[in-house]
Amino acid sequence: MSEADSRARHVAIIMDGNGRWAKRRHLPRAMGHRQGVEAVRRLVRSLEGTGIECLTLYAFSSENWKRSEDEVDDLMDLMRKFIKSDLPEFIANDVKLHILGDWRALAPDIVAMLEDALEKTSGGSRTIAVALNYGGQAEIVHAARAAAAQGEITQESIEANLFSAGLPPLDLLIRTSGEVRLSNFLLWQAAYAEMLFVDTLWPDFTPEHLQQALDDFTNRERRFGGR
Ligand code: FPP
């Protein structure tokens, strides 16, 4: 396989461990999430030169509504601030925003900000895909229903109706903080993805950790079921 073939084009991350990061420092959980946003920012800024065409981030799952009202409010506020402060940088850096999940069910002001951001970044060449109010099982149900309404249910017709339609195939899925499970993230897309579980808590994850993950990926042999 050539160097280009063995490069990860699409990387997804389950950003876990914000709460534990804060707890270890006797800080409120909100501080962990705030540092988590800093980690996102560092990574987005470091993408150039990595070969990554799409970075997908699990920011809010459909199960996250079960958290306390205060924590959900904190996360939504961080989202508002992040879009407001970082949208100009996305545009300047040729980054295109993509969203996966039932994001239109979020607060109307966030939906409006996201619509604006999608429009303003639509010309970008590198994609940041953010999973918001996302659940993998619900995504597959939604895609299968849409496929059935259009005609035959096939692997291709389901794939064409997933939130990830149009993104490159998922190459590498990383989860931080030592937990080893998918938590309903990209269940369909992960069929042939390489998985990497690292102990680092999300707020401590740096571009160097990402580069290590990419090097690790390049050294793996992917057979897609063949020999
Ligand atoms: C998991 O940590 C993290 C989340 C549920 C939210 C992830 C969100 C961010 C990093 C910030 C928002 C992102 C953007 C793009 C603005 P946890 O709270 O489950 O940690 P714990 O398992 O240690 O308690």
Side-chain angles (χ1 to χ4, degrees):
M1 220 169 9
S2 75
E3 177 81 13
D5 289 333
S6 62
R7 217 169 43 197
R9 296 169 63 203
H10 186 174
V11 177
I13 309 184
I14 302 176
M15 310 181 286
D16 197 10
N18 296 348
R20 276 161 285 168
W21 184 94
K23 194 170 179 193
R24 284 181 195 174
R25 289 163 178 76
H26 308 286
L27 295 168
R29 292 179 63 80
M31 284 301 293
H33 294 314
R34 204 177 298 173
Q35 288 306 309
V37 174
E38 287 305 319
V40 169
R41 196 169 275 135
R42 279 197 302 264
L43 229 51
V44 172
R45 286 180 178 159
S46 77
L47 285 185
E48 205 176 333
T50 59
I52 295 176
E53 293 166 31
C54 178
L55 179 69
T56 298
L57 301 170
Y58 204 4
F60 194 85
S61 80
S62 43
E63 285 78 32
N64 285 153
W65 296 111
K66 293 183 206 146
R67 298 193 175 201
S68 74
E69 201 179 325
D70 274 358
E71 185 167 356
V72 170
D73 286 350
D74 282 338
L75 285 167
M76 293 299 154
D77 272 343
L78 280 174
M79 209 72 68
R80 287 183 179 91
K81 285 188 189 133
F82 181 72
I83 304 165
K84 204 176 262 181
S85 60
D86 287 48
L87 179 58
E89 200 173 319
F90 271 42
I91 299 167
N93 289 316
D94 206 20
V95 169
K96 174 182 185 159
L97 179 68
H98 183 96
I99 313 173
L100 304 97
D102 190 10
W103 59 278
R104 288 182 191 278
L106 298 178
D109 68 307
I110 297 187
V111 173
M113 289 172 90
L114 289 171
E115 278 170 344
D116 178 58
L118 286 170
E119 195 201 313
K120 289 190 173 139
T121 62
S122 62
S125 59
R126 197 176 12 252
T127 302
I128 300 293
V130 185
L132 286 174
N133 198 16
Y134 174 89
Q137 292 175 332
E139 177 187 32
I140 295 170
V141 171
H142 166 271
R145 282 199 183 123
Q150 291 158 6
E152 213 188 333
I153 299 190
T154 62
Q155 203 167 305
E156 290 73 26
S157 70
I158 290 181
E159 222 147 54
N161 283 288
L162 293 171
F163 296 124
S164 56
L167 302 180
L170 182 62
D171 294 308
L172 174 63
L173 193 149
I174 303 170
R175 182 172 188 145
T176 60
S177 92
E179 308 287 346
V180 184
R181 58 179 173 272
L182 286 181
S183 298
N184 207 11
F185 191 45
L186 302 181
L187 298 180
W188 179 287
Q189 297 84 345
Y192 285 103
E194 294 292 322
M195 313 255 173
L196 186 65
F197 298 93
V198 297
D199 288 335
T200 314
L201 301 176
W202 177 250
D204 292 328
F205 196 85
T206 62
E208 289 70 34
H209 289 107
L210 179 65
Q211 192 52 56
Q212 269 169 25
L214 293 174
D215 293 345
D216 184 323
F217 174 87
T218 305
N219 292 326
R220 291 191 193 189
E221 191 191 347
R222 299 176 86 197
R223 289 199 293 265
F224 299 96
R227 272 264 138 221

